[in-house]
Amino acid sequence: MKNYLTLLFIILSLGAFAQEKEEIKKNTGIFNLTEIGYLPGVGNITHDNIDTENEANTYRLRTIFGYFITPHFSLGAGIGLDGYHNPTYNTMPLFIEGRAYLWNKRHSPFFYADIGKAIKAGMEFEEGLFFNTGIGYKFFLSEKFCIHTSIGYNLQHMKEAMIWYTEIEEDGTINLEKQSTDINMNSISFDIAIHFNILSFD
């Protein structure tokens, strides 16, 4: 965990101290974010009023199309793929996203929030609530190459997820039984995205 926090700090520092060649207003128009992420599990996995340690690791790929309603706020819609491991679930989040930017400049901190549903990408569960929120930094590595980095909290609720239960009989026999239950998955999200300006209104 410390290694990921250090890496994110270095990336944010590069963006914060990068010198801008000129004060160009960039928070306008229609854009796309192509994003990858890593989500280590935190806390416990809750199912049937039982808490077990959350050792899940998740890998994320998603795309978001957004529009700057004002220079300080954008609204968009996105779809992605989240692959959970230990336990293993494949989800397809479909969501709306709001981003609030502190500055109307090439480099700016921002706050974001996503909410939607995780459509099942397998037979392991039924669709459930998806929620993701956090903070980030938008900066340019070159004249046209823009990056968004962020860290946040991710909640995934899965309905009727399949869970393996272990039952030990009196004679020591171990039985495995698969049952369905609702579960909540909590994660910290580390994301990095490439920003593409599709249409500007300058």
Side-chain angles (χ1 to χ4, degrees):
M1 178 72 71
K2 292 182 179 179
N3 291 335
Y4 293 107
L5 290 174
T6 302
L7 178 61
L8 184 64
F9 176 78
I10 292 172
I11 293 173
L12 291 176
S13 297
L14 288 173
F17 291 102
Q19 293 185 355
E20 301 181 43
K21 293 183 179 180
E22 54 183 336
E23 290 291 327
I24 302 175
K25 306 302 184 183
K26 284 292 180 180
N27 295 347
T28 181
I30 300 171
F31 64 90
N32 170 262
L33 293 174
T34 299
E35 184 176 70
I36 59 173
Y38 172 67
L39 293 79
V42 294
N44 295 321
I45 299 175
T46 303
H47 57 88
D48 289 345
N49 295 320
I50 300 174
D51 289 337
T52 58
E53 185 178 356
N54 185 358
E55 298 179 346
N57 291 285
T58 308
Y59 299 92
R60 163 177 290 170
L61 173 64
R62 60 184 190 171
T63 186
I64 303 163
F65 288 91
Y67 170 69
F68 281 103
I69 297 176
T70 75
H72 295 281
F73 181 76
S74 68
L75 188 64
I79 188 169
L81 293 172
D82 286 356
Y84 286 82
H85 300 275
N86 193 28
T88 300
Y89 300 103
N90 292 315
T91 71
M92 186 181 293
L94 182 64
F95 56 93
I96 59 174
E97 176 180 274
R99 292 195 176 212
Y101 298 84
L102 184 61
W103 305 318
N104 179 24
K105 295 182 179 180
R106 288 166 59 84
H107 308 299
S108 176
F110 64 86
F111 166 82
Y112 73 94
D114 308 329
I115 189 167
K117 283 190 174 181
I119 302 171
K120 64 178 181 179
M123 301 300 292
E124 300 91 355
F125 69 98
E126 296 299 323
E127 63 183 36
L129 174 70
F130 164 81
F131 178 71
N132 192 198
T133 187
I135 58 174
Y137 199 87
K138 180 192 81 163
F139 60 95
F140 280 74
L141 292 177
S142 66
E143 186 64 25
K144 296 184 179 180
F145 189 60
C146 183
I147 294 290
H148 289 224
T149 58
S150 61
I151 180 172
Y153 164 75
N154 188 86
L155 168 65
Q156 177 64 72
H157 177 71
M158 301 179 187
K159 297 180 180 179
E160 300 182 17
M162 301 306 296
I163 294 287
W164 286 99
Y165 289 90
T166 302
E167 182 181 357
I168 302 177
E169 299 183 359
E170 293 182 357
D171 61 359
T173 303
I174 299 176
N175 297 320
L176 293 177
E177 183 178 357
K178 202 173 188 179
Q179 297 181 1
S180 64
T181 181
D182 290 0
I183 65 174
N184 293 311
M185 305 284 287
N186 299 284
S187 307
I188 299 297
S189 64
F190 299 92
D191 304 300
I192 184 168
I194 301 175
H195 178 120
F196 298 96
N197 282 330
I198 298 175
L199 182 62
S200 296
F201 304 127
D202 290 337

